[in-house]
Amino acid sequence: MGLPEGEKSFWFWKVLEIVMAAVFVGAALVLLFHLFRKLFRLIQQYMSFHYREQELQTGGAFDLREKCEIEKDTQRKSLGLFGVLAPRERIRRLYKKKLAAATADLDPSDRGHLETYTAKEWEKKLTLSGMADIYEQARYSNHEVTAADVKKMKDAWK
């Protein structure tokens, strides 16, 4: 005695099978699209991060310079309320902002190379006094930076 022969299935189940297969294929394609897009963005972010990093080697020491290019940052880092108000960050932002504004009066060759000069070189170029010492203390040292230093930095730019 064998198994009974299968009857022909109802047409609704055939249509449902085709629709479900189409839904699964569509979902798989959407998932693949999102994964490739995320991978592309990750690679793009990684490549641009390493491209902007500038290290100039002079002898046996590396000179990491502050980047003062005018650029839009679409992925801003959130420093929080206390990070933005910290005197160290205020001095660095003031330096970048004032340097960009001050170089508008200089020749175009200097405007294109904001990041190549050090703070002391900009101090000489712009004939300022005391700006470089305050900035270097805020940027490189571990000493305490206070609101009085921010005021000195503002006065140095006047």
Side-chain angles (χ1 to χ4, degrees), residues 56-72:
L56 300 176
Q57 187 174 8
T58 55
F62 284 100
D63 185 13
L64 299 175
R65 303 199 181 205
E66 186 79 34
K67 294 169 188 60
C68 296
E69 301 103 14
I70 300 171
E71 62 183 29
K72 289 187 178 181

Side-chain angles (χ1 to χ4, degrees), residues 4 19 26 35 37 54 61 63 85 101 103 107 118 145 151:
V19 169
L35 286 175
R37 191 173 72 177
Q54 297 178 358
D63 185 13
L85 298 177
T103 55
D107 58 342
T118 63
V145 180
K151 183 165 176 32

Side-chain angles (χ1 to χ4, degrees), residues 4-153:
E5 287 187 27
E7 295 182 17
K8 190 172 183 180
S9 64
F10 190 57
W11 64 269
F12 176 74
W13 298 115
K14 294 281 186 189
V15 172
L16 187 62
E17 181 182 347
I18 293 170
V19 169
M20 290 305 290
V23 167
F24 282 124
V25 168
L29 289 175
V30 168
L31 181 67
L32 278 173
F33 173 75
H34 284 294
L35 286 175
F36 277 121
R37 191 173 72 177
K38 282 189 175 201
L39 178 67
F40 179 72
R41 285 185 179 170
L42 178 69
I43 291 171
Q44 186 179 24
Q45 181 183 5
Y46 178 75
M47 299 262 309
S48 66
F49 173 73
H50 286 292
Y51 178 72
R52 281 191 214 144
E53 184 178 303
Q54 297 178 358
E55 291 183 3
L56 300 176
Q57 187 174 8
T58 55
F62 284 100
D63 185 13
L64 299 175
R65 303 199 181 205
E66 186 79 34
K67 294 169 188 60
C68 296
E69 301 103 14
I70 300 171
E71 62 183 29
K72 289 187 178 181
D73 191 10
T74 58
Q75 295 178 344
R76 280 200 167 171
K77 295 178 185 174
S78 176
L79 294 175
L81 180 61
F82 297 110
V84 173
L85 298 177
R88 187 175 304 274
E89 279 301 313
R90 288 176 59 199
I91 288 174
R92 290 179 68 187
R93 287 179 188 220
L94 185 65
Y95 173 78
K96 287 181 184 181
K97 182 176 148 185
K98 294 292 187 174
L99 184 63
T103 55
D105 300 334
L106 295 177
D107 58 342
S109 64
D110 283 338
R111 264 185 265 146
H113 301 288
L114 290 176
E115 70 276 359
T116 56
Y117 297 114
T118 63
K120 288 201 185 284
E121 291 169 338
W122 276 119
E123 185 178 54
K124 289 177 187 174
K125 261 187 181 304
L126 298 173
T127 61
L128 299 171
S129 63
M131 178 267 305
D133 294 329
I134 298 168
Y135 173 74
E136 287 174 353
Q137 179 183 357
R139 173 76 167 105
Y140 302 112
S141 75
N142 292 331
H143 297 299
E144 182 70 27
V145 180
T146 63
D149 294 327
V150 176
K151 183 165 176 32
K152 287 179 192 175
M153 184 69 158

